[in-house]
Each structure stands twice: as C-alpha cells, then as structure tokens.
Amino acid sequence: MRFDLRQFLFFVIGCVLALAPVVGANVLISHQATIMAQQRLDAQAEIASATAHGELLALAEELRESSIAVGVTCGENDALRMQALTIGSPAVSYVATADADGQIQCSFPDLGDEPLEFFGEETFLFEGDISITQARISGTRATGTALRYMREEGGDQLIFVPRSMLSYLIS
C-alpha cells in the first residue's frame, strides 16, 4: 500500500484538525490557571501587607507608650516595661532606650553599650516619628529589622525583630 502526496496531506490536515481543540483547550486552561494563581497571590499579599501594617502599627504604639523620658536613668518600672514588650510580642527580641547621642541607657536583654549595627536605608513610617531599617546584633550574624521611635526631646526607643521572627508580623 502506497501513499501519494495527496493522501499524506489529508492525513496531516486531519491530525492538525483533530489536535487543534486539544491544544486550544490546553492553552485556555493554562491561561485561566495563571490568572487564578495571580489573583490568589495578590489577595494573599494584600492580607499579609495589611497584617504586617497592623502589627507594625501596634509595635509603634508600644514604642511610643513605653518611651522613657530623656535624662532619666532606667528604673525598675522601665525595665519591667521593656521586658513585658519583649516577652509580650513573639517577634520582638530586644528593646532599648538610647540617649540623644545614641548611647544605650538601658535594654532588655542587656547586650552592652552598642548592641545594634544599622545598615540599609532608613524608612520613616506612620507619623514620621517611627523609622524602620535593617540591623544586626553587634558581633553576631543575627540580622533583622529595627524600629526606632525618635522622641521630639531627643533620644530613641528601639526594638529589634530578628529576621527569623519576621513571619510573626505577617501571619
């Protein structure tokens, strides 16, 4: 049995016509799946962003409320407030008060005089009195995010969220 060119062309056209709906359906299904995946990803990102914003706002309020007056030595109540903030938030691992020159007055836990090294750009949040930047605990490889409340009268209140705990801010 011998095929001539005409029979071969009919065979090829028949195969193309038979496969066209399958290929077309596959393309449409793939496109729809991509759109749905992007919509879900966008929705999850929006939820995570809103949650992180809420958590950061709550931490900023805690910083403002627990701010210790400049020039006051860290008393027992101040230490208890810093300890409560550290223990009360699973994301926060360090809280400190610095004087107008940036020197640590007191902290919980006590990591010494220069516990944090800041790097990266500082970004101001909310009302402009809270900044967020990347930081590292001095002498270690532990990196994370530092929030700093800059009081009008000088001095800062700091909290440090290790990179490993950032998921608590968006969960």
Side-chain angles (χ1 to χ4, degrees), residues 18 50 61 90-91 120 149 157 161:
E61 284 305 312
Y149 170 58
Q157 186 83 15
V161 178

Side-chain angles (χ1 to χ4, degrees), residues 4 24 65 111 134 137 149 171:
D4 65 4
E65 290 174 12
L111 298 177
Q134 296 178 50
I137 296 177
Y149 170 58
S171 60

Side-chain angles (χ1 to χ4, degrees), residues 78-98:
D78 301 325
L80 289 174
R81 273 189 286 184
M82 286 190 284
Q83 183 178 9
L85 180 57
T86 304
I87 293 170
S89 173
V92 176
S93 69
Y94 177 77
V95 179
T97 297

Side-chain angles (χ1 to χ4, degrees), residues 17-36:
L17 291 175
L19 291 176
V22 174
V23 171
N26 189 26
V27 168
L28 289 175
I29 290 170
S30 176
H31 180 69
Q32 185 63 26
T34 302
I35 290 172
M36 289 177 63

Side-chain angles (χ1 to χ4, degrees), residues 3 21 41 43 61-62 70 75 82 95 110 123 146 150 153 160 165-166 169:
F3 284 105
L41 185 61
E61 284 305 312
E62 286 287 336
V70 173
M82 286 190 284
V95 179
D110 185 7
T123 303
M150 292 161 283
E153 57 276 354
F160 177 72
M165 302 304 270
L166 288 174
L169 295 179

Side-chain angles (χ1 to χ4, degrees), residues 6-157:
R6 186 172 159 194
Q7 289 174 326
F8 179 73
L9 287 175
F10 281 134
F11 175 75
V12 169
I13 291 171
C15 287
V16 168
L17 291 175
L19 291 176
V22 174
V23 171
N26 189 26
V27 168
L28 289 175
I29 290 170
S30 176
H31 180 69
Q32 185 63 26
T34 302
I35 290 172
M36 289 177 63
Q38 186 63 47
Q39 288 173 342
R40 282 187 182 167
L41 185 61
D42 290 346
Q44 288 175 343
E46 192 172 318
I47 290 168
S49 176
T51 302
H53 182 269
E55 289 294 323
L56 285 174
L57 187 59
L59 286 174
E61 284 305 312
E62 286 287 336
L63 276 174
R64 288 183 185 111
E65 290 174 12
S66 68
S67 179
I68 302 167
V70 173
V72 175
T73 57
C74 296
E76 186 176 334
N77 287 339
D78 301 325
L80 289 174
R81 273 189 286 184
M82 286 190 284
Q83 183 178 9
L85 180 57
T86 304
I87 293 170
S89 173
V92 176
S93 69
Y94 177 77
V95 179
T97 297
D99 64 16
D101 296 327
Q103 295 296 313
I104 300 297
Q105 291 178 324
C106 59
S107 64
F108 183 84
D110 185 7
L111 298 177
D113 292 338
E114 296 183 30
L116 296 179
E117 300 169 3
F118 300 99
F119 58 93
E121 280 194 43
E122 189 172 39
T123 303
F124 291 91
L125 307 173
F126 311 118
E127 298 166 16
D129 58 349
I130 302 286
S131 72
I132 187 170
T133 189
Q134 296 178 50
R136 172 181 24 256
I137 296 177
S138 294
T140 72
R141 294 177 57 173
T143 60
T145 301
L147 270 77
R148 181 169 51 166
Y149 170 58
M150 292 161 283
R151 297 175 289 193
E152 290 178 15
E153 57 276 354
D156 300 338
Q157 186 83 15

